[in-house]
Amino acid sequence: MTPPRHHLPDVAEMYRAFLERDSRYDGIFLTGVTTTGIFCRPSCPARKPARENVRFFATAAAAEAGGFRACLRCRPLDPAGLPPEGIRRLVEACDANPALRLRDRDLRARGLDPATVRRWFRRHHGVTFHAWQRARRLGGAIAELGRGGGITGAAFGSGYDSLSGFTDALRKLTGRPPSASRDAVVVHVDRILTPLGPMVAGVLGEAVCLLEFTDRRMLPTQLRTLEDRLGCVFVPGETPASRKLALELDAWFDGDLQGFSTPIRMAGTPFQEAAWAELLRIPRGTTRSYAEQAAALGRPSAVRAVARANGANRIAIVVPCHRVVGSDGRLRGYGGGVARKRALLALEGWEAP
Ligand SMILES: [Zn+2]
């Protein structure tokens, strides 16, 4: 992954983001601390030094060239959100054996501290490790039922040792008993790491219906809206579509991809879907104003509604709402933070007027 090419935000903005540990600036700049010789990403949990001891860099290479070493806490050479080695191996083990059911003592036997694992999953998946495992196993069971499998086989095949435990867990997730869970609509959610921070991707069948930065404040609302619109349940897990999207995002951040070919499912109101479809017509490297966007939709007076529809876009980057700017060329708002919008546009070669 190449870091985005862009100009640094102004120093006051960077120092504020650094003090506030604002993860929306991870991948935008790095800080070197002259008293320790260490460089960090903005979200680093370490104590923050005084302004006069801080230098700012656009890339890790520049920080290293300045004589700084990478911080061992925030690991600025790794993509933001990369799990530590032990957790990576744990996820791999769960991927390899979907029925695997690991308890705290199994984590300790693997040399992992259950509290650390719980914290990491809470922070990065919004649930504990045990809830994450359970949801994945239930997702596997729903798929098995959907393929016409029997309830008993689905229960034991997904690591449940009693039918009643399975029935309860499934009812909690889908609101239905196992027999009616066969046709539950499942959206698989997967994390995708990008140079601008981790994103969460949601996949329904073969189509992506969600792509958001994980630290976007609106994310829980977006998930609830999607739940209502699709009548779906969310289950963690990788899918062919999320793998394809991850590869496309990599190429896109490297500047090797003009547009995405992973199918998408927009799931909005008719007006939102029209507005989002119009966003897809803005070529990479160009921008439009909200007024131009409203005119293109044949609704020249609906500027505010267009801005709202942009803000409600749930498939960031792929549906390029970042390409709509104020009529004076100012960036205005962006769900993932204006710094990211600026970086995305800079990456596309666009320069602020
Ligand atoms: Zn650090």
Side-chain angles (χ1 to χ4, degrees), residues 220-291:
T221 312
Q222 296 281 49
L223 289 171
R224 272 197 301 278
T225 309
L226 207 52
E227 208 171 5
D228 289 347
R229 291 216 156 264
L230 299 172
C232 64
V233 295
F234 296 102
V235 167
E238 224 185 35
T239 58
S242 63
R243 276 193 294 272
K244 179 172 157 99
L245 178 63
L247 289 175
E248 287 201 322
L249 278 168
D250 249 358
W252 189 86
F253 273 101
D254 282 343
D256 299 334
L257 190 77
Q258 290 301 308
F260 293 83
S261 62
T262 311
I264 54 173
R265 166 89 182 261
M266 298 201 266
T269 63
F271 179 78
Q272 286 174 330
E273 293 200 5
W276 296 337
E278 196 51 51
L279 290 172
L280 289 167
R281 295 193 189 99
I282 313 176
R284 181 177 174 130
T286 62
T287 58
R288 261 190 209 165
S289 68
Y290 295 94

Side-chain angles (χ1 to χ4, degrees), residues 38-40 44 69-76 78:
I38 288 183
F39 72 95
C40 288
C44 183
R69 280 172 298 116
C71 170
L72 296 176
R73 286 187 74 177
C74 63
R75 294 174 298 143
D78 290 340

Side-chain angles (χ1 to χ4, degrees), residues 284-351:
R284 181 177 174 130
T286 62
T287 58
R288 261 190 209 165
S289 68
Y290 295 94
E292 286 168 333
Q293 187 70 356
L297 272 168
R299 303 273 303 273
S301 61
V303 178
R304 294 181 79 113
V306 161
R308 268 199 306 278
N310 270 16
N313 173 29
R314 278 184 293 271
I315 313 178
I317 302 181
V318 177
V319 178
C321 57
H322 61 277
R323 291 183 192 145
V324 180
V325 301
S327 47
D328 52 359
R330 305 237 339 230
L331 298 190
R332 303 282 187 268
Y334 187 61
V338 170
R340 281 195 183 116
K341 180 169 181 170
R342 198 190 295 131
L344 289 169
L345 287 172
L347 186 75
E348 299 183 349
W350 181 81
E351 298 225 6

Side-chain angles (χ1 to χ4, degrees), residues 76-95:
L77 295 172
D78 290 340
L82 186 74
E85 184 60 30
I87 290 183
R88 217 146 60 218
R89 278 205 301 272
L90 186 62
V91 172
E92 275 167 20
C94 296
D95 284 341

